[in-house]
Structures are given as C-alpha cells and as structure tokens.
Amino acid sequence: MAFTLNVNGAPHVIEPGEGEEDIPLLYVLRDHLRLNGAKYGCGVGQCGACTVLRDGAPVRSCLVPAASLQGREVTTLEGLRAPEGTLHALQKAFLAEQAGQCAYCIPGMILSAAGLLRQKRSPTEADIRTALDANLCRCGSHNRIVRAVQRAAAELAE
Amino acid sequence: MSARVSRRSVLQGSLVLAFSLAGPALLAQTSKPRLPGDLARTPGLDAWLRIGADGVVTLMTGKVELGQGILTALGQLCADELDVEPSRLRILSGDTRVCPPEGVTAGSMSIPNAGAAVRQASAEVRALLVSLAAERLRVPAKRLRVQDGTVKNTGGGAVTYWALVGGKRLNREATGAVAPKPASQRRHAGKPLPRVDLPAKLTGEPRFVQDLRPDTLVHGRVVRAPTPGASLTEVDTVKVSAMPGVLKVVRDGDFLGVIATREWQAVKAAAALALVARWKEGRPLPVDPHAWLLSQPTQDTVIHRVERPTDVAPERMLEATYRRPYQMHASIGPSCAVAAWDGSTLTVDTHSQSVFETSEAIAKLLGLSKDQVHGRHVEGSGCYGHNGADDVAADAALLARALPGRAVRVQWSREDEHTQEPYGAAMVTKVRAGVDVNGDVLDWDYALWSTSHGTRPGGEPGNLLAGRSLAKPFRQPTPRNGGPPNYSADRNAIPLYAFPGQQVTTHFVTAMPLRVSSMRGLGAYANVFSIESFMDELAHAAGVDPATYRLRQLQDARAKAVIARATERFGWNRFERRPHHGRGLAFARYKNLATYCAVCLEVFVDPATHAPRVVRAVIAADAGEVVNPDGLANQLEGGLLQSLSWSLKEAVRHDARRILSRDWEGYPILTFSEAPSVDVQLIDRPEEPFLGAGEASQGPTPAALANAVFDATGLRVRDLPVTPERLAALRRAQGAGQ
C-alpha cells in the first residue's frame, strides 16, 4: 500500500515493494528516497548512526516502521540546510572543529544534537554528553563532537 | 570520492615530449640517489601526477582514506612542492587501474612512504615544468617563479603548467636529484588544513561505499555459519527463492547468499534463509584463550639479545605476567561492498585497506586473471584495522558473478561484523627483571605468546572468509609472524630502555581457533602495556618516581623529551593527592622507529563500585616533521580514546560453541560520558623525517591506565580490560591475603 511520508519539508509518495509492508524508515530513506544521511549501523537501535528527527525529536530510523509516520515530519541530515543551501549551524560547527575521522557516525551525531538543541538552547557539556551517550563513535572523535555542539549552540544563541 | 578515471582516459593524450632540459639539477646523474618512499617502487612521474588541459592537477595515490586524513595531508605536500593551490588538486586514491600500487594502507606508514613519494614526485614535476617554461619564455629558470601553476618571469611573461603539458604524459622517471623545498618555504605542510573529505560526509553527499547506487543496483546478503568453523549440511532454497523481490539464491559449499531487488527484501530473505539452513558445528573453541595459548606448539624465536657486560649479581628479581583478550575492530558501519560482473571484468568498490592485494585475491577466488578485477577504493566506516571490508568485497564478487550485468551491493549486518570479522589476537606476556641496588634494571627477560596479527588477503583467496567456504575451498595459508624492523606479534616487544642485559623471545602460535588479524598497533598494544606496567612496578619496588625511573634508564633524547613534555603539561610533579584519584604514565616509540609518544592519565576509582573513570589525559608526541598538526592531534587523541575503550571495556565474549558478543550490548564500547578530555602536545621537528603516527597512542594508553589505577587503589591489574569486576576481585584477594 502506498503511503505519504513528509521528509525534509516535502511530501513523498512511498510505494513499498512486495514484502516491504513492514519496511523501517531507514530503508525508505536510503533505498527509496536515495538519501545518504541516515546510516545503517546496527539495525537494533543501539548505535545511533541512523538517527533522524520525527517532529523535531530524535528517533532511530532503523526501528521505526515507515508506514507509521504518515502525518509526521521527518528530518534527515539533508534537510538541515537552509533552502538556499546554507549549512546548518551544526554542520558549520562540525566542519570548524573538524569533528570526525571516518565520520560514518557523524550524521547521527548531528541529528541527535539537533534534537537536543531544540529542547535546550544552552546545554551544558554534561547535557551534551548525556544526549549523545547512545550514539557510538569508534574513531575517538568524542571531544571534538562535543566542542562542535557547544560551538553550534553558541552560534544559535546569538 | 573523486570522479573515476578509466585507464583509457589516463593514457589518452599520451605524447612523448622531447624535453631539452636546461636545469642543471636534472642533468646527467652519475650515481642515482635512492628515491624516497613508494617512489622507489613506482618511479614514473606520470603514475603520480597529471596536469590536465583544463588546469586541474590530478594526484594519484595507492594509499586510501580511512578517516586519518591522508588525502588532505598528501594534497598539502603536493601543493607545496608543485606550487599549486590545494583547491586545484583532484586526488584519486586506491584505484587498481589508475593509482600507483602502494600496498596496504596500514602500519603508520602512509606519510613516511606515500608522503615522501608525493613530495619528491611533485618537486621533480615542478622542476621539469619550470625548465620547460624557461625554454618557452626564453629566460633562465632562476628568473622564474610559480604561483598556482602559472610560471611567471619576474621581468614579464608567463605560461601555465597546463599550457605547457596539459593532457600530455611526461614520460619521465624520478631521478631523486631535485631537492624538495626547505621547511621555511613550505606554505601548506605544517598547517592545519581542513580535511578534504569531510564536507561531503557532513552534508549527505555520496562519499561512503554504502552510498553507491549504480543504475543496475541490487542487494545481496550472505548467511554465515552460526558458530565458527561450522559447515552447511542442508538448506531448502525453494521457499526463499519465491519470496518477493528475490532474484537469486546462491549456494557454493558453505557459502550461502541471496540477491533481491530491494534492500529490505534482501534483509528478509536472508533472515528466512538463515532459518532453514542446517549447520554442523566445527571444533569447540578454547574457553580460556590464555591457557590455550600457553599449551600450544609454538615457533620460538629469540628476537633480541644483549649480553650484560658485567657479572654483578642482581639485588633482586621481580616478575609478572600480563594478558590481553581477543578484541574487536567493531566499526560503527558494518562492512559493505558493491561489485559488478560484465562477463569480462569484475569491478569491485570496496573500503578495503589493501585494494590491490584484495583485488588479486578476488581474481584468484573467481578464477580470473589479475587484470580482470578492477578494485576501486571508496571510503567506509573506520576502525583502523583489518575488519570485514575485504570479506564483504569477496561476498559481493561471488554474488555479482552469479548475476551478470547487475551491481550487487552486499551490506553485512551488525551481527555479521561482530561475529565474523578477524579479531585482535589474545596474548600472554611474561617479564622478569633483575635489578641493582638502586632498583635499576640489570637483566630484562621478556617473552610473549600470541597467534597471528596478520591475515590480510595479501593476494590469497584462502584469507577471505568466502574463499574458505566454497565447495572447492581455498586453504588459508599458515600465518607467519612479521619480522624486523616492524615486527608483528612482537611489535614493540624490544624495550627502548638502556638495560645492560636484555632478551626477548617470541612464542608464535600458528593455529587460530578464533579468527584473528591486524588490529591497530598489532602486538604493540599488549607489549607496551606489559613493558610500561612492569616499569611502573619496578619503579614502585625501587621507591622511585615512575617518571624519574624511566628517564634515568633512557638514552634517546627524543624519548626523554616527550616524557618531559607530557609530565610537565600534566602537572606530574605538583599532582595533588586526592582520595581515590591516581596518576599514571607510560611511554613508547611506536615500532621503535616511528612516533615517540608519552601518555599521562588521571583516574578516579569509585570506592564503592570499583568503577574506574579517566578524568583527563595528556599526550605528548614527536612525529618528526608534522604535515597537518590538526590531523595528527586528531589521530593521537582518537587513538588514545579507542585504546581506552579497549582497555576499560572490551573483550570478545565466547563460549566453547559460539561468539556471544553479537551486538553492542554484547560488546560495549566507550561512550561520551566515559571519554576524558585529552590535551595533545606536539613536538614539531620540521627538518626531521616523517615518523608514522596513526597507532602511536594505542600502546601507552592501557599502561598509563593500569598505572593510574594502581596509584589510586594500590591494586595492580595485569589483565585487560581494567573492569570494576577485576578490581573488586583484586580487592577481595588483597583482603584475604591480609
């Protein structure tokens, strides 16, 4: 059954293939909409690489059935930029801090941080670490990521 | 990822230029200087650089981006020597048909080998182009200067590199006779240029192999044995073949895979296939890997021996045994590859660290000639080691051959990666020292037991997981330990301290009940942990400050300098005693020939739970000439945090039948709340050779941790990881002993 999914401000009609009735959001984003931001990491909600925003709050797209999101607004990494293409404060801050090595986990970090900054405009360092605790990084870029979120928070607060 | 360049387009425009060389530096070489790094293997300048007619300069390298920033650093070196802006560079990397074969990207050798080659090749191409410009402009070369590829005469007149040779081959080999610029004239090397690969990764542009979507894309999955060494006895593929979207079920011996149109269809089909597959279990796994190691037949080598010149009897003998468990690479993104077979050529897009050798292994796996497999590196999720990247490339190749004309993307699951990747080898080390009246070492006797740290494909299909599972299987070669100067299991087993008597013995076990291979630092992780923990034990036994104790037994001035810098920055001598807090120091020069690195840590150990928490860390490192200080700091800090994760939390859990660490709950890694602040101090030596740095902090970190925990608690942990359970057990044993 086809359904409509609002992704990054635009409605998309999704037509799952046969056997895809229970398709998780992650596979719709990547395989149907050809978006790269959400990454497959574990498929069981343990690593955060697939994090996107659902009505502004972070969710693990590998666990959420896509069909359950009709009428909701989904935001991915690709949807953070302003319509004219300007990078989001978080993207600029991650670049400024060179926050990442392989950077596979970074889109999930940015979306989790975006969720945090919607809730809390001026998070403490501890707030940031707690908010990102379930997002895993293997290259050891943790401190740069925290600094990037602090930098973005400062810019957004101005 | 840069645009692909086919061999044809690279060769097009080939034209032998009749150079009449004016530059005296380039004339008649009587004795050929040795070419630096990988340039010695590939001296043709066209293999490294091309000047496009459109003004784009293409730099080609066989080394690949793992997140360490190599492409950025190589671009800096090239831009400096060639006198072009970094933005003018297009960098092609790890394409077996386009790039110079530079072997495996590993061992902290990319800057020393590829960096040195790129610097020299770029300097030589610049000299060549300036001499051509001199001819064209009819002025002496010394009156010319170059700005972003435009050669200008100080008295007027200019010509660009691309006007001179754009689109043409240089047909010239490096001579080694051109001197690269002195440090004072470098504009980019030594500066923190931002990474060239990051913008795409932060905006969702396709940059990872996981993001490739060729028009003919289909999705493959492989169903793996549920226990190591199991063989497939029976599988009914009829039902799965009829599932929605399924294009093909492929079975060859124990190799079982499925291809479907949509990715989610492939995931479901693979799950259904796993349910109907029947397996016969392999041999049981040794439940205690360390007891197993000590009971195995070994290849014994005394790798180092120094006879003590004096025969004074030691005042005291001390000894200790240390252990490291099996640990995982555990990349955040499970391995992935895309392969396509058109009936004559197999292309494979892979995040392998050894594209050339893995492509060769895949060719043998499929019975193809080497030239028929075109390997192309595309970035993947990192870990700095031999993870599932090569295996999934072989999986994709096998499935692609079964479905010609389609690009088959194989994405391993989390469980695949956790249970199938080759682990870092468990090790046991025993060290025994005789000390003099001051507590300084007279005799040092060190022995280690280890399985292999190197089963990368190396052109052998038997090293690929799929290769061993086919109906006509390829035998896995018996692993060999790597010898000097880099060593492998015994990497960093030889102490850098000036002990009068020394002996180091390697007991190498060739069997591999659990699959093992190269994990960042190889044996250096356990060897430096052992040596530097024991140095701490000896210092305490002697009643001497651990920093002083090390410094007075070292002769290498650069080694002393990093220890001095780390302790000074950490505030070692003014460390204020607080309950349950401790400080720890450790040092190593990676491989005894690469980066010098000292680490100081402060820990807090919760008295109720015994949970150790690292409060802060300082690293001081001397990597010789620093190409990109921010990239280097990122590597060193990341290495420390990764090594802390190994050392605080990580051990592969298994029983006699199966791997129990099957996801992140079964194999937890360091979180944001557990990551300490890290202060990285670099000692830059712009006139010194590059020293590889990518693995320098792996070894000192666990020792600094164990030493700090001892300082805080009086408990000596000799088994990694340093867990609350281990500390609680040591506390109980201590209580019982009193």
Side-chain angles (χ1 to χ4, degrees), chain A residues 19 30 36 98 101 133 138, chain B residues 195 213 329 384 650 673:
Chain A
R30 292 194 62 89
N36 300 314
Q98 292 286 290
Q101 289 184 38
D133 242 357
R138 191 50 164 167
Chain B
R195 288 250 305 275
R213 295 184 191 85
H329 294 90
Y384 304 111
E650 299 185 26
S673 300

Side-chain angles (χ1 to χ4, degrees), chain B residues 41 172 183 239 241 360 362 429 449 526 570 606 644 671 712:
Chain B
R41 181 174 171 190
R172 169 131 332 228
K239 267 192 185 164
S241 299
E360 197 182 334
I362 288 173
T429 69
W449 284 257
F570 180 82
D606 189 305
L644 259 191
T671 65

Side-chain angles (χ1 to χ4, degrees), chain B residues 127-389:
Chain B
L128 201 56
L129 293 169
V130 168
S131 69
L132 286 175
E135 202 172 293
R136 176 79 63 93
L137 297 172
R138 299 173 193 283
V139 292
K142 65 182 178 198
R143 285 189 25 208
L144 299 176
R145 59 190 183 85
V146 186
Q147 191 181 7
D148 193 19
T150 299
V151 190
K152 294 176 180 170
N153 176 11
T154 44
V159 63
T160 62
Y161 287 170
W162 35 101
L164 289 168
V165 297
K168 302 186 180 76
R169 289 175 63 84
L170 302 173
N171 288 309
R172 169 131 332 228
E173 292 205 346
T175 62
V178 179
K181 291 178 179 174
S184 59
Q185 287 179 30
R186 294 175 196 142
R187 291 177 56 227
H188 305 293
K191 304 277 185 342
L193 261 66
R195 288 250 305 275
V196 295
D197 56 315
L198 271 188
K201 293 174 177 177
L202 298 185
T203 52
E205 297 300 312
R207 179 90 199 183
F208 293 100
V209 69
Q210 285 88 348
D211 303 334
L212 297 182
R213 295 184 191 85
D215 291 340
T216 60
L217 187 73
V218 291
H219 296 273
R221 288 293 187 278
V222 172
V223 176
R224 290 255 125 85
T227 59
S231 50
L232 182 60
T233 53
E234 191 191 334
V235 58
D236 179 0
T237 60
V238 176
K239 267 192 185 164
V240 173
S241 299
M243 282 177 72
V246 170
L247 299 169
K248 194 152 194 172
V249 175
V250 179
R251 183 187 173 183
D252 184 343
D254 299 334
F255 180 82
L256 183 62
V258 58
I259 308 167
T261 306
R262 288 282 186 190
E263 186 169 13
W264 186 242
Q265 291 168 333
V267 171
K268 291 173 79 170
L273 203 51
L275 281 178
V276 294
R278 298 282 170 266
W279 302 84
K280 179 173 169 276
E281 288 187 10
R283 287 200 293 192
L285 305 174
V287 181
D288 179 343
H290 301 114
W292 176 84
L293 268 177
L294 296 175
S295 71
Q296 290 301 296
T298 53
Q299 296 174 354
D300 302 336
T301 315
V302 176
I303 62 162
H304 178 69
R305 188 175 185 137
V306 178
E307 288 290 341
R308 179 153 63 93
T310 59
D311 58 358
V312 189
E315 198 68 20
R316 215 176 143 184
M317 299 299 295
L318 294 99
E319 61 187 353
T321 301
Y322 301 89
R323 295 176 191 85
R324 172 239 168 130
Y326 290 107
Q327 288 163 323
M328 249 180 230
H329 294 90
S331 299
I332 301 303
S335 296
C336 181
V338 180
W341 168 243
D342 66 4
S344 60
T345 297
L346 183 102
T347 55
V348 56
D349 293 304
T350 168
H351 56 108
S352 167
Q353 289 180 225
S354 58
V355 186
F356 298 90
E357 297 80 359
T358 296
S359 298
E360 197 182 334
I362 288 173
K364 289 181 192 162
L365 177 77
L366 301 184
L368 301 174
S369 72
K370 194 175 158 182
D371 292 344
Q372 284 179 286
V373 176
H374 181 185
R376 302 185 294 201
H377 182 266
V378 187
E379 288 153 38
S381 179
C383 66
Y384 304 111
H386 177 197
N387 64 0

Side-chain angles (χ1 to χ4, degrees), chain A residues 15 17-24 27 29-32 34-37 39-44 46-47 49 77-78 81 87 91 94-95 97-107 109-110 128-130 132-133 135-147, chain B residues 66-67 194-195 197-199 201-206 208 210-211 213 219 244 262-265 267-268 328-330 332-334 380-384 409 411-414 630 633-635 637-638 641-642 645-646 650 663-665 667 669-673 675-678:
Chain A
E15 293 179 24
E18 209 189 330
E20 285 195 309
E21 296 75 15
D22 55 348
I23 187 169
Y27 294 85
L29 295 174
R30 292 194 62 89
D31 198 23
H32 287 248
R34 304 169 74 90
L35 295 171
N36 300 314
K39 304 290 188 207
Y40 171 75
C42 68
V44 287
Q46 294 174 348
C47 76
L77 183 70
E78 291 87 346
R81 293 166 89 142
L87 293 184
Q91 290 170 309
F94 272 68
L95 275 179
E97 294 291 341
Q98 292 286 290
Q101 289 184 38
C102 84
Y104 192 86
C105 68
I106 298 296
M109 299 286 177
I110 290 179
I128 296 169
R129 288 187 186 268
T130 304
L132 296 179
D133 242 357
N135 285 68
L136 300 179
C137 164
R138 191 50 164 167
C139 301
S141 299
H142 304 75
N143 294 321
R144 285 175 181 244
I145 292 167
V146 171
R147 285 201 293 276
Chain B
L66 311 174
R195 288 250 305 275
D197 56 315
L198 271 188
K201 293 174 177 177
L202 298 185
T203 52
E205 297 300 312
F208 293 100
Q210 285 88 348
D211 303 334
R213 295 184 191 85
H219 296 273
R262 288 282 186 190
E263 186 169 13
W264 186 242
Q265 291 168 333
V267 171
K268 291 173 79 170
M328 249 180 230
H329 294 90
I332 301 303
S381 179
C383 66
Y384 304 111
R409 175 184 182 273
Q411 166 71 70
W412 273 15
S413 70
R414 171 51 47 202
D630 190 60
N634 202 357
Q635 281 282 281
E637 171 171 342
L641 292 177
Q642 188 187 45
S645 181
W646 300 346
E650 299 185 26
D663 59 19
W664 295 114
E665 279 180 14
Y667 193 84
I669 63 172
L670 199 76
T671 65
F672 277 84
S673 300
S677 69
V678 182

